[in-house]
Every structure is written in C-alpha cells, then in structure tokens.
Amino acid sequence: MNELEFNIDNSQIGFRLQYLELLNWGTFHNDIWRIDPNGNNSLLTGSIGSGKSTLVDALTSLIVPHHKINFNKAAGAEKNERSLMTYIKGEYKNTKKDETDAKGKAVTLRYKDTSDTTFSVVLANFSNVGYATNITLAQVFWIENDKAQKLLIISNKPLTVKEHFRN
C-alpha cells in the first residue's frame, strides 16, 4: 500500500450539510432562521417545543419525497399531527370552544383564510470537499386552492433565502 492512502482525511467525505435556512416554516416566522454545521457533525438541543423537530422536518422535506414523510417523527408524534400544510400556515396550537369540542380550531401565524397569501422557503447547502462540489436544495411552498403547492430548486451554487428568495 502507498503511504498516501493512510494520510487522506476522510472526515469530510461525501456531501455534508453546510447550512440550513428557513423562512416561514412552522413557528419560524417572518425572519430568516439559519443553522451552520459547516460540514461537521452537530448536536441539536433545546427545550420541549423549541423547534428541534421542526428543523429536522424542514431538512427532511428537502430530501424525502413528500408522500413518504411522517412529519414530527423525531418527537414521536402521532402520524397526522403535523403536515406540510401545518408548517406552511405556521400552526402552533388548537383552541377548543368547550370540553365537547374534540379537536378544536387551529391557531396559525400565517394564512388565516383563503384571502391570505403566504409562502415558506426551506433551503440547505451541501458540499463535498473531496470533489470540490456544492449543491443547494431549496423548496418554496405556498397554498393555492386550499392545497399545498411546492417548487423544488436545485443549484450547483450556494443560494441564500435573503439573496435569492426574500422578495
């Protein structure tokens, strides 16, 4: 074996998450929210309800087909507790009129009724140091005719919400 084979740094092999950005995804509302693992292994911590599962679901929405996603799985939620629509609308609780009201009415940060317009952006940039390549996956979500709509963007350049999606 060649001596060079033992000196190769494999710590950054493959495509690794550089950053994740969100705009209007779940309770991450109005501002651009960003995490920067910079290709390193990272630990996501926080109190119950702080948004850990929401971040995981955002990343999942970029890399898993939507018909296969079980949102909020990381938190052990019921199968239909969260959906793409609840994330776009920014649902954060249910209000019950009284004890006989089984489910209650969802309270949302965005999209109160069909006259409202809103959109959500989830964007992740990955790089592969070994091949000096970069890829950004982004999705823009909106509600049209009471259904979630989405547009997938794939770029070999780093994109950001502020520069490429804000307006």
Side-chain angles (χ1 to χ4, degrees), residues 8-55:
I8 295 172
D9 179 11
N10 290 328
S11 66
Q12 296 292 307
I13 244 171
F15 281 96
R16 299 183 57 95
L17 180 64
Q18 296 301 306
Y19 57 86
L20 172 70
E21 293 186 346
L22 312 172
L23 174 66
N24 292 337
W25 178 259
T27 55
F28 292 96
H29 183 58
N30 276 348
D31 291 321
I32 298 167
W33 301 83
R34 180 177 168 124
I35 60 170
D36 291 283
N38 296 315
N40 297 307
N41 292 336
S42 300
L43 177 64
L44 192 57
T45 65
S47 301
I48 294 171
S50 63
K52 300 176 301 293
S53 295
T54 300
L55 288 172

Side-chain angles (χ1 to χ4, degrees), residues 3 6 12-14 47 49 79 95 97 100 102 109 121 126 136 140 163:
E3 182 180 321
F6 295 106
Q12 296 292 307
I13 244 171
S47 301
K79 185 164 176 85
T95 57
K97 290 183 245 172
T100 63
L109 295 169
V121 179
F126 301 87
T136 300
V140 179
E163 187 177 349

